[in-house]
Amino acid sequence: MPTKRTLAAFVAAAALGLPTFAAAQEYTIGVSIPAATHGWTGGVNFHAQQAKERLESLYPEISITITTASDPGGQANDLEDLVSQRNIDALVVLPFESGPLTDPVRRVKDAGVFVTVVDRGLEQEGIEDLYVAGNNHELGRVSGEYIRDQLDGQGDIVVLRGIPTVIDDERVQGFQEAIEGSDINILDMQHANWNRDDGFEVMQDFLARFDRIDAVWAQDDDIAIGVIEAVRQAGREDELFIVGGAGMKDIIRRVMEGDRLVPVDVLYPPAMIATAMDLTVQNFVSNGPVVGQYILGSPLITQENAEQYYFPDSPF
């Protein structure tokens, strides 16, 4: 179906008595993401901009508008403007929070817009046409399997969780399933809120209370940065190793360099926003269907494969 822009051009040409050849159909895609309030969302912003430049170069008929918001209310306002002011044909949205953005995204969908939701699902199922996300259960499972294997199925570990959310619960569930049946003992498990300062404070407490720690599951690379600093200040680098998750460039570089303290990472890429944008564009330029769910894997990043996950220009 022609867009409003295409129809307007056709009518204008006819009114001027100009030839009315079929015009190339044009599409506007709105991308709504959180502002770079911490490392991972900084990476989301970087990869969104990279994808915009690449896709607009590849497809001249595609125009992409990126908006960022620092809170759910601001993001809801952005969505309204994308529909009323930009007349978007598609929306790619990574909700700041699932609950407050469910109704605003539903209103976008009701306006006839193709909707892609990224990472954080909405509270009501079936609103979006496409869902793109990482695999949180797998992130936990891969992390647990690595620690279990490296410790030969026995040892004392500590766990630093994220923010109390469904995402955090899924990661922990996958981790616990991976070490089930082994002799690995979780000394303690505390929330560090996907924050390096909280990671530092929680790990300081663990180090003060436990004379022996064989491994740390930090769950997230921002947490891992704080854990690394706490371990080094305590002079206990030779005692343990740390497994984070996401794909932060600082952690990936450590893995590439063979850092014994951080031997691996588990991918939960902020570049998933680019995957979502790619797939959304394909809905308009391809004759293949682009609906349903696209769940990314969570591969183990080792010294052998780390280079392919290293983006030195990214802020994350």
Side-chain angles (χ1 to χ4, degrees):
M1 180 180 295
T3 63
K4 294 176 183 177
R5 186 185 308 163
T6 304
L7 288 172
F10 184 89
V11 170
L16 293 172
L18 300 174
T20 54
F21 300 113
Q25 194 163 341
E26 298 179 352
Y27 302 97
T28 299
I29 296 174
V31 178
S32 174
I33 54 180
T37 53
H38 65 283
W40 193 82
T41 53
V44 169
N45 280 254
F46 170 82
H47 288 289
Q49 186 61 41
Q50 294 283 304
K52 166 184 165 67
E53 295 171 5
R54 172 173 51 81
L55 289 167
E56 288 182 337
S57 176
L58 283 171
Y59 303 105
E61 69 271 32
I62 297 293
S63 175
I64 297 173
T65 297
I66 299 174
T67 65
T68 62
S70 298
D71 56 66
Q75 189 171 30
N77 291 335
D78 287 344
L79 298 187
E80 184 176 344
D81 289 344
L82 285 170
V83 174
S84 62
Q85 304 297 321
R86 297 287 184 172
N87 196 28
I88 58 173
D89 300 289
L91 170 69
V92 178
V93 57
L94 198 163
F96 201 99
E97 294 178 11
S98 298
L101 268 301
T102 295
D103 283 340
V105 175
R106 183 193 295 113
R107 288 193 289 271
V108 174
K109 179 61 180 174
D110 289 344
V113 174
F114 183 93
V115 172
T116 299
V117 173
V118 185
D119 185 43
R120 302 162 192 173
L122 302 174
E123 287 193 341
Q124 178 183 329
E125 294 184 0
I127 295 176
E128 70 273 9
D129 299 282
L130 176 65
Y131 178 61
V132 177
N135 191 326
N136 289 287
H137 186 275
E138 185 179 358
L139 184 148
R141 179 187 61 78
V142 171
S143 302
E145 287 180 352
Y146 178 81
I147 289 175
R148 182 198 65 203
D149 292 344
Q150 291 301 113
L151 296 180
D152 293 326
Q154 59 184 359
D156 295 324
I157 70 171
V158 293
V159 173
L160 291 87
R161 303 182 61 158
I163 294 171
T165 58
V166 172
I167 288 174
D168 176 71
D169 290 341
E170 290 174 348
R171 293 181 180 185
V172 172
Q173 181 183 15
F175 184 85
Q176 290 177 319
E177 290 174 0
I179 65 172
E180 186 176 358
S182 72
D183 290 323
I184 291 176
N185 175 39
I186 298 178
L187 296 168
D188 199 359
M189 183 184 302
Q190 297 290 335
H191 290 282
N193 305 312
W194 296 323
N195 179 280
R196 64 185 63 190
D197 292 335
D198 291 345
F200 176 79
E201 292 179 5
V202 172
M203 192 63 200
Q204 273 194 322
D205 175 64
F206 287 163
L207 291 165
R209 289 193 290 123
F210 304 118
D211 293 333
R212 173 180 171 179
I213 300 173
D214 297 305
V216 180
W217 181 41
Q219 201 204 85
D220 173 85
D221 288 341
D222 273 312
I223 295 174
I225 293 294
V227 171
I228 290 167
E229 184 59 28
V231 170
R232 288 191 167 160
Q233 285 190 18
R236 293 173 65 174
E237 302 99 309
D238 296 333
E239 169 187 332
L240 53 80
F241 63 89
I242 301 161
V243 177
M248 178 190 290
K249 69 178 182 181
D250 291 343
I251 298 295
I252 300 300
R253 186 175 64 249
R254 292 173 185 270
V255 174
M256 290 170 61
E257 294 171 351
D259 188 335
R260 183 202 165 278
L261 190 60
V262 188
V264 298
D265 199 34
V266 183
L267 188 65
Y268 193 84
M272 68 174 67
I273 191 68
T275 303
M277 292 166 67
D278 284 335
L279 291 170
T280 302
V281 167
Q282 290 306 305
N283 180 68
F284 298 102
V285 302
S286 167
N287 64 343
V290 183
V291 292
Q293 295 190 350
Y294 191 98
I295 306 301
L296 298 164
S298 294
L300 184 69
I301 302 173
T302 66
Q303 189 174 14
E304 289 71 31
N305 66 6
E307 188 173 0
Q308 65 183 289
Y309 302 107
Y310 184 57
F311 298 95
D313 295 330
S314 171
F316 180 80

